[in-house]
Coordinates of all heavy atoms in Angstrom, one line a residue:
M1 N -2.8 -16.6 21.7 CA -2.0 -15.8 20.7 C -0.6 -16.5 20.5 O -0.1 -17.0 21.4 CB -1.9 -14.4 21.1 CG -3.2 -13.6 21.1 SD -4.1 -13.6 19.5 CE -3.1 -12.4 18.7
T2 N -0.1 -16.3 19.4 CA 1.3 -16.8 19.1 C 2.3 -15.8 19.6 O 2.0 -14.6 19.9 CB 1.5 -17.1 17.7 OG1 1.5 -15.8 17.0 CG2 0.5 -18.0 17.1
T3 N 3.5 -16.2 19.7 CA 4.6 -15.3 20.1 C 5.1 -14.5 18.9 O 5.9 -13.6 19.1 CB 5.8 -16.1 20.7 OG1 6.2 -17.1 19.7 CG2 5.4 -16.7 22.0
R4 N 4.6 -14.8 17.7 CA 5.1 -14.2 16.5 C 4.9 -12.6 16.5 O 5.8 -11.9 16.0 CB 4.4 -14.8 15.3 CG 4.8 -14.2 14.0 CD 4.6 -15.2 12.9 NE 4.6 -14.6 11.6 CZ 5.8 -14.0 11.1 NH1 6.9 -14.1 11.8 NH2 5.7 -13.5 9.9
A5 N 3.9 -12.1 17.0 CA 3.6 -10.7 17.0 C 4.4 -10.0 18.0 O 4.6 -8.8 17.9 CB 2.1 -10.4 17.3
Q6 N 5.0 -10.7 19.0 CA 5.7 -10.0 20.0 C 7.2 -9.8 19.6 O 7.7 -10.6 18.9 CB 5.8 -10.9 21.3 CG 4.4 -11.1 21.9 CD 4.4 -12.2 23.0 OE1 5.5 -12.7 23.3 NE2 3.3 -12.4 23.6
K7 N 7.7 -8.7 20.0 CA 9.1 -8.3 19.7 C 10.0 -8.8 20.8 O 10.5 -8.0 21.6 CB 9.2 -6.8 19.5 CG 8.4 -6.3 18.4 CD 9.0 -6.5 17.0 CE 8.1 -5.9 15.9 NZ 8.5 -6.5 14.6
I8 N 10.2 -10.1 20.9 CA 11.0 -10.5 22.0 C 12.5 -10.7 21.6 O 12.8 -11.0 20.4 CB 10.4 -11.8 22.7 CG1 10.8 -13.1 21.9 CG2 9.0 -11.7 23.0 CD1 10.7 -14.3 22.7
T9 N 13.3 -10.5 22.5 CA 14.7 -10.6 22.3 C 15.3 -11.9 22.8 O 14.6 -12.7 23.5 CB 15.5 -9.5 23.0 OG1 15.3 -9.6 24.4 CG2 14.9 -8.1 22.6
F10 N 16.5 -12.2 22.4 CA 17.2 -13.4 22.9 C 17.4 -13.3 24.4 O 17.4 -14.4 25.0 CB 18.5 -13.6 22.1 CG 18.3 -14.2 20.8 CD1 18.2 -13.4 19.6 CD2 18.1 -15.5 20.6 CE1 18.0 -13.9 18.4 CE2 17.8 -16.1 19.4 CZ 17.8 -15.3 18.2
G11 N 17.6 -12.2 24.9 CA 17.8 -12.0 26.4 C 16.5 -12.5 27.1 O 16.5 -13.2 28.1
Q12 N 15.3 -12.0 26.5 CA 14.0 -12.4 27.1 C 13.8 -13.9 27.0 O 13.2 -14.6 27.8 CB 12.9 -11.6 26.5 CG 12.9 -10.2 26.9 CD 12.0 -9.3 26.1 OE1 12.0 -9.4 24.8 NE2 11.1 -8.6 26.7
L13 N 14.2 -14.4 25.8 CA 14.1 -15.9 25.5 C 14.8 -16.7 26.6 O 14.3 -17.6 27.2 CB 14.6 -16.2 24.1 CG 14.3 -17.5 23.5 CD1 12.8 -17.5 23.0 CD2 15.2 -17.8 22.4
R14 N 16.1 -16.3 26.8 CA 16.9 -17.0 27.8 C 16.4 -16.8 29.2 O 16.5 -17.8 30.0 CB 18.3 -16.5 27.7 CG 19.1 -17.2 26.5 CD 20.5 -16.9 26.6 NE 20.9 -15.5 26.0 CZ 21.1 -15.3 24.7 NH1 21.2 -16.3 23.9 NH2 21.4 -14.1 24.3
A15 N 15.8 -15.7 29.5 CA 15.2 -15.4 30.8 C 14.0 -16.4 31.0 O 13.7 -16.7 32.2 CB 14.7 -14.0 30.9
Q16 N 13.4 -16.8 29.9 CA 12.3 -17.8 30.1 C 12.8 -19.2 30.1 O 12.1 -20.2 30.2 CB 11.3 -17.7 28.9 CG 10.5 -16.4 28.8 CD 9.8 -16.3 27.5 OE1 9.4 -17.2 26.9 NE2 9.6 -15.0 27.1
G17 N 14.1 -19.4 30.1 CA 14.7 -20.7 30.2 C 14.8 -21.5 28.9 O 15.1 -22.7 28.9
L18 N 14.6 -20.7 27.8 CA 14.7 -21.4 26.5 C 16.1 -21.2 25.9 O 16.6 -20.1 25.9 CB 13.6 -20.8 25.5 CG 12.2 -21.0 26.0 CD1 11.2 -20.1 25.1 CD2 11.8 -22.4 25.9
H19 N 16.7 -22.2 25.3 CA 18.0 -22.1 24.8 C 18.1 -22.5 23.3 O 19.2 -22.6 22.8 CB 19.0 -23.0 25.7 CG 19.0 -22.6 27.1 ND1 19.6 -21.4 27.5 CD2 18.4 -23.1 28.2 CE1 19.5 -21.3 28.8 NE2 18.7 -22.2 29.2
H20 N 17.0 -22.8 22.7 CA 17.0 -23.1 21.3 C 15.9 -22.3 20.6 O 14.9 -21.9 21.2 CB 16.7 -24.6 21.1 CG 17.8 -25.4 21.4 ND1 18.1 -25.9 22.7 CD2 18.8 -25.9 20.6 CE1 19.2 -26.6 22.6 NE2 19.7 -26.7 21.4
I21 N 16.1 -22.0 19.4 CA 15.0 -21.4 18.6 C 14.7 -22.4 17.5 O 15.5 -23.2 17.1 CB 15.4 -20.0 17.9 CG1 16.6 -20.2 17.1 CG2 15.5 -19.0 19.0 CD1 16.9 -19.0 16.2
E22 N 13.4 -22.3 17.0 CA 13.1 -23.1 15.8 C 12.8 -22.2 14.6 O 12.0 -21.2 14.8 CB 11.8 -23.9 16.1 CG 12.2 -25.2 16.8 CD 11.0 -26.2 17.0 OE1 10.7 -26.9 16.0 OE2 10.4 -26.1 18.1
V23 N 13.4 -22.5 13.5 CA 13.3 -21.6 12.3 C 12.6 -22.4 11.3 O 12.9 -23.5 10.9 CB 14.7 -21.3 11.8 CG1 14.6 -20.4 10.6 CG2 15.6 -20.6 12.9
Y24 N 11.5 -21.8 10.8 CA 10.6 -22.5 9.8 C 10.7 -21.7 8.5 O 10.7 -20.5 8.4 CB 9.1 -22.4 10.3 CG 8.9 -23.3 11.5 CD1 9.1 -22.8 12.7 CD2 8.4 -24.6 11.3 CE1 8.9 -23.6 13.8 CE2 8.1 -25.4 12.4 CZ 8.4 -24.9 13.6 OH 8.1 -25.7 14.7
C25 N 10.8 -22.5 7.4 CA 10.7 -21.9 6.1 C 9.4 -21.2 5.8 O 8.4 -21.7 6.3 CB 10.9 -23.1 5.0 SG 10.8 -22.5 3.3
R26 N 9.5 -20.1 5.1 CA 8.2 -19.3 4.9 C 7.3 -19.9 3.8 O 6.2 -19.6 3.7 CB 8.6 -17.9 4.5 CG 8.5 -17.0 5.7 CD 8.6 -15.5 5.4 NE 8.8 -14.8 6.6 CZ 9.5 -13.7 6.8 NH1 10.1 -13.2 5.7 NH2 9.6 -13.1 7.9
D27 N 7.9 -20.8 3.0 CA 7.1 -21.5 2.0 C 6.3 -22.6 2.7 O 6.9 -23.6 3.1 CB 8.0 -22.0 0.9 CG 7.3 -22.5 -0.3 OD1 6.1 -22.9 -0.1 OD2 7.9 -22.6 -1.4
Y28 N 5.0 -22.5 2.7 CA 4.2 -23.5 3.4 C 4.3 -24.8 2.8 O 4.0 -25.8 3.4 CB 2.8 -23.0 3.6 CG 2.0 -22.9 2.3 CD1 1.2 -24.0 1.9 CD2 2.0 -21.8 1.4 CE1 0.5 -24.0 0.7 CE2 1.3 -21.8 0.3 CZ 0.6 -22.9 -0.1 OH -0.1 -22.9 -1.3
K29 N 4.6 -24.9 1.5 CA 4.7 -26.2 0.8 C 6.0 -26.9 1.2 O 6.0 -28.1 1.1 CB 4.7 -26.0 -0.7 CG 3.3 -25.7 -1.3 CD 3.3 -25.4 -2.8 CE 3.8 -23.9 -2.9 NZ 3.8 -23.5 -4.3
C30 N 7.0 -26.1 1.6 CA 8.2 -26.7 2.0 C 8.2 -27.0 3.5 O 8.5 -28.1 4.0 CB 9.4 -25.7 1.6 SG 11.0 -26.1 2.3
S31 N 8.0 -25.9 4.3 CA 7.9 -25.9 5.7 C 9.0 -26.7 6.4 O 8.8 -27.4 7.4 CB 6.5 -26.4 6.2 OG 6.3 -27.8 5.9
H32 N 10.2 -26.6 5.8 CA 11.4 -27.1 6.4 C 11.6 -26.4 7.7 O 11.5 -25.2 7.8 CB 12.5 -27.0 5.5 CG 13.9 -27.4 6.0 ND1 14.1 -28.7 6.3 CD2 15.0 -26.7 6.3 CE1 15.4 -28.8 6.7 NE2 15.9 -27.6 6.7
S33 N 12.0 -27.1 8.8 CA 12.3 -26.4 10.0 C 13.7 -26.9 10.6 O 14.1 -28.0 10.3 CB 11.2 -26.6 11.1 OG 11.2 -27.9 11.5
V34 N 14.3 -26.0 11.3 CA 15.6 -26.4 11.9 C 15.7 -25.8 13.3 O 15.2 -24.7 13.6 CB 16.8 -26.0 11.0 CG1 16.8 -24.4 10.9 CG2 18.1 -26.5 11.5
K35 N 16.3 -26.5 14.2 CA 16.5 -26.1 15.6 C 17.9 -25.5 15.7 O 18.9 -26.2 15.3 CB 16.3 -27.2 16.6 CG 15.0 -27.1 17.3 CD 15.0 -28.1 18.5 CE 13.7 -28.0 19.2 NZ 13.5 -29.0 20.3
L36 N 18.0 -24.3 16.3 CA 19.4 -23.7 16.5 C 19.5 -23.3 17.9 O 18.6 -22.9 18.5 CB 19.5 -22.5 15.6 CG 19.5 -22.7 14.1 CD1 19.4 -21.4 13.3 CD2 20.7 -23.5 13.6
P37 N 20.8 -23.4 18.4 CA 21.0 -22.9 19.8 C 20.9 -21.4 19.8 O 21.5 -20.7 19.0 CB 22.5 -23.4 20.1 CG 23.1 -23.6 18.7 CD 22.0 -24.0 17.8
A38 N 20.2 -20.9 20.8 CA 20.0 -19.4 20.9 C 21.2 -18.7 21.4 O 21.3 -17.5 21.3 CB 18.8 -19.2 21.9
D39 N 22.2 -19.4 21.9 CA 23.4 -18.7 22.5 C 24.3 -18.1 21.4 O 25.3 -17.5 21.8 CB 24.1 -19.6 23.5 CG 24.6 -20.9 22.8 OD1 24.6 -21.0 21.6 OD2 25.0 -21.8 23.6
R40 N 24.0 -18.2 20.1 CA 24.9 -17.6 19.1 C 24.5 -16.2 18.8 O 25.2 -15.5 18.1 CB 25.0 -18.5 17.9 CG 23.6 -18.8 17.3 CD 23.7 -19.9 16.2 NE 24.1 -19.3 14.9 CZ 24.0 -20.0 13.8 NH1 23.6 -21.2 13.8 NH2 24.4 -19.4 12.7
W41 N 23.4 -15.7 19.4 CA 23.0 -14.3 19.2 C 23.1 -13.5 20.6 O 22.7 -14.1 21.6 CB 21.6 -14.2 18.6 CG 21.6 -14.7 17.2 CD1 21.9 -13.9 16.1 CD2 21.2 -16.0 16.7 NE1 21.8 -14.7 15.0 CE2 21.3 -15.9 15.3 CE3 20.7 -17.1 17.4 CZ2 21.0 -17.0 14.5 CZ3 20.4 -18.2 16.6 CH2 20.6 -18.2 15.2
P42 N 23.5 -12.3 20.6 CA 23.5 -11.5 21.8 C 22.1 -11.1 22.3 O 21.1 -11.1 21.6 CB 24.3 -10.3 21.4 CG 24.2 -10.2 20.0 CD 24.0 -11.5 19.4
D43 N 22.1 -10.8 23.6 CA 20.8 -10.5 24.3 C 19.9 -9.5 23.7 O 18.7 -9.6 23.7 CB 21.1 -10.0 25.7 CG 21.4 -11.2 26.6 OD1 21.3 -12.4 26.2 OD2 21.8 -11.0 27.8
H44 N 20.5 -8.4 23.0 CA 19.7 -7.3 22.5 C 19.0 -7.6 21.2 O 18.2 -6.8 20.7 CB 20.5 -6.0 22.4 CG 21.6 -6.1 21.4 ND1 22.8 -6.7 21.6 CD2 21.6 -5.8 20.1 CE1 23.5 -6.6 20.5 NE2 22.8 -6.1 19.5
V45 N 19.4 -8.7 20.5 CA 18.8 -9.0 19.2 C 17.4 -9.6 19.3 O 17.2 -10.5 20.1 CB 19.8 -10.0 18.4 CG1 19.2 -10.4 17.1 CG2 21.2 -9.4 18.2
R46 N 16.5 -9.0 18.5 CA 15.1 -9.6 18.5 C 15.0 -10.7 17.6 O 15.7 -10.8 16.5 CB 14.1 -8.5 18.1 CG 13.8 -7.5 19.2 CD 12.9 -6.5 18.7 NE 13.6 -5.7 17.6 CZ 13.4 -4.4 17.3 NH1 12.5 -3.8 18.0 NH2 14.0 -3.9 16.3
L47 N 14.1 -11.7 17.9 CA 14.0 -12.8 17.0 C 13.6 -12.3 15.6 O 14.0 -12.9 14.6 CB 12.9 -13.7 17.5 CG 13.1 -14.3 18.9 CD1 12.1 -15.4 19.2 CD2 14.5 -14.8 19.2
S48 N 12.7 -11.3 15.5 CA 12.3 -10.8 14.2 C 13.4 -10.2 13.4 O 13.3 -10.1 12.2 CB 11.2 -9.8 14.4 OG 11.6 -8.7 15.3
D49 N 14.5 -9.8 14.1 CA 15.6 -9.2 13.4 C 16.4 -10.2 12.5 O 17.0 -9.8 11.5 CB 16.6 -8.6 14.4 CG 16.1 -7.3 15.1 OD1 15.1 -6.7 14.5 OD2 16.6 -7.0 16.1
I50 N 16.4 -11.4 12.9 CA 17.2 -12.4 12.2 C 16.4 -13.2 11.1 O 17.0 -13.9 10.4 CB 17.9 -13.4 13.2 CG1 16.8 -14.2 13.9 CG2 18.8 -12.6 14.2 CD1 17.4 -15.4 14.6
E51 N 15.1 -13.0 11.1 CA 14.3 -13.8 10.2 C 14.7 -13.7 8.7 O 14.7 -14.7 8.0 CB 12.8 -13.4 10.3 CG 12.2 -13.9 11.6 CD 10.7 -13.6 11.7 OE1 10.2 -12.7 11.0 OE2 10.0 -14.4 12.4
N52 N 15.1 -12.5 8.3 CA 15.5 -12.4 6.9 C 16.9 -12.8 6.6 O 17.3 -12.8 5.4 CB 15.3 -10.9 6.5 CG 13.8 -10.5 6.4 OD1 13.0 -11.4 6.1 ND2 13.5 -9.3 6.8
Q53 N 17.6 -13.2 7.6 CA 19.0 -13.7 7.3 C 19.0 -15.1 6.9 O 20.1 -15.6 6.5 CB 19.8 -13.5 8.6 CG 20.0 -12.0 9.0 CD 20.7 -11.9 10.3 OE1 21.3 -12.8 10.8 NE2 20.7 -10.7 10.9
F54 N 17.9 -15.8 7.1 CA 18.0 -17.3 6.8 C 17.6 -17.6 5.3 O 16.7 -16.9 4.8 CB 17.0 -18.0 7.7 CG 17.5 -18.1 9.1 CD1 16.9 -17.2 10.1 CD2 18.5 -18.9 9.5 CE1 17.3 -17.2 11.4 CE2 18.9 -19.0 10.8 CZ 18.3 -18.1 11.7
V55 N 18.3 -18.6 4.8 CA 18.0 -19.1 3.5 C 17.7 -20.6 3.7 O 18.5 -21.3 4.2 CB 19.1 -18.9 2.4 CG1 18.8 -19.5 1.1 CG2 19.4 -17.4 2.3
C56 N 16.6 -21.0 3.2 CA 16.2 -22.4 3.4 C 17.2 -23.3 2.6 O 17.5 -23.1 1.5 CB 14.8 -22.6 2.8 SG 14.2 -24.3 3.0
T57 N 17.6 -24.4 3.3 CA 18.6 -25.3 2.7 C 17.9 -26.3 1.8 O 18.5 -27.0 1.1 CB 19.4 -26.1 3.8 OG1 18.4 -26.7 4.7 CG2 20.3 -25.1 4.6
V58 N 16.5 -26.4 1.9 CA 15.8 -27.3 1.1 C 15.3 -26.7 -0.2 O 15.6 -27.1 -1.3 CB 14.6 -27.9 1.8 CG1 13.7 -28.8 0.9 CG2 15.1 -28.7 3.0
C59 N 14.6 -25.5 -0.1 CA 14.0 -24.9 -1.3 C 14.8 -23.6 -1.8 O 14.5 -23.1 -2.8 CB 12.5 -24.6 -1.1 SG 12.2 -23.3 0.0
G60 N 15.7 -23.1 -0.9 CA 16.5 -22.0 -1.3 C 15.8 -20.6 -1.1 O 16.3 -19.6 -1.5
K61 N 14.6 -20.6 -0.5 CA 13.9 -19.4 -0.3 C 14.5 -18.6 0.9 O 14.8 -19.2 1.9 CB 12.4 -19.7 0.0 CG 11.5 -19.4 -1.1 CD 10.1 -19.1 -0.6 CE 9.3 -18.5 -1.8 NZ 8.5 -19.4 -2.5
R62 N 14.6 -17.3 0.7 CA 15.1 -16.4 1.8 C 13.9 -16.0 2.7 O 12.8 -15.8 2.2 CB 15.7 -15.2 1.2 CG 16.2 -14.2 2.2 CD 17.0 -13.1 1.5 NE 18.3 -13.5 1.1 CZ 19.4 -13.5 1.9 NH1 19.3 -13.1 3.1 NH2 20.6 -14.0 1.4
G63 N 14.2 -15.9 4.0 CA 13.2 -15.5 4.9 C 12.7 -16.7 5.7 O 12.5 -17.7 5.1
A64 N 12.4 -16.5 7.0 CA 12.0 -17.6 7.8 C 11.1 -17.1 8.9 O 11.1 -15.9 9.2 CB 13.2 -18.4 8.3
E65 N 10.5 -18.0 9.5 CA 9.7 -17.6 10.7 C 10.5 -18.2 11.9 O 10.8 -19.4 11.9 CB 8.3 -18.3 10.7 CG 7.2 -17.3 10.8 CD 5.9 -18.0 10.6 OE1 5.5 -18.6 11.6 OE2 5.2 -17.9 9.6
V66 N 10.7 -17.4 12.9 CA 11.5 -17.8 14.1 C 10.5 -17.9 15.2 O 9.8 -17.0 15.5 CB 12.6 -16.8 14.4 CG1 13.4 -17.3 15.6 CG2 13.6 -16.7 13.2
R67 N 10.6 -19.0 15.9 CA 9.7 -19.2 17.1 C 10.6 -19.7 18.3 O 11.6 -20.4 18.1 CB 8.7 -20.3 16.9 CG 7.7 -19.9 15.8 CD 6.8 -21.0 15.5 NE 6.3 -20.9 14.1 CZ 5.6 -21.8 13.5 NH1 5.2 -22.9 14.1 NH2 5.2 -21.6 12.3
Ligands
ZN101 ZN1 12.1 -24.2 2.2

C-alpha cells in the first residue's frame, strides 16, 4: 500500500528519519515533481493538509500529491 491514504504528520515523518518531502503535480500529463525540506513545517501538520497549498510552477495547476 502507498503512504497516501495515511494521515501522517511531519513529526512522524521526521521520526522515520525522513527530512524531505516530494511534491507531485496532480496533472498526470505534467507530473512535475519537486523535493522540499520537511523542516519548514511544524510537527503537528499532516502531509495531506498542505497538498492544496501548492501551485505547479510548470502548468499552474493548484493541488499536489505529497509523498
Ligand atoms: Zn503541473
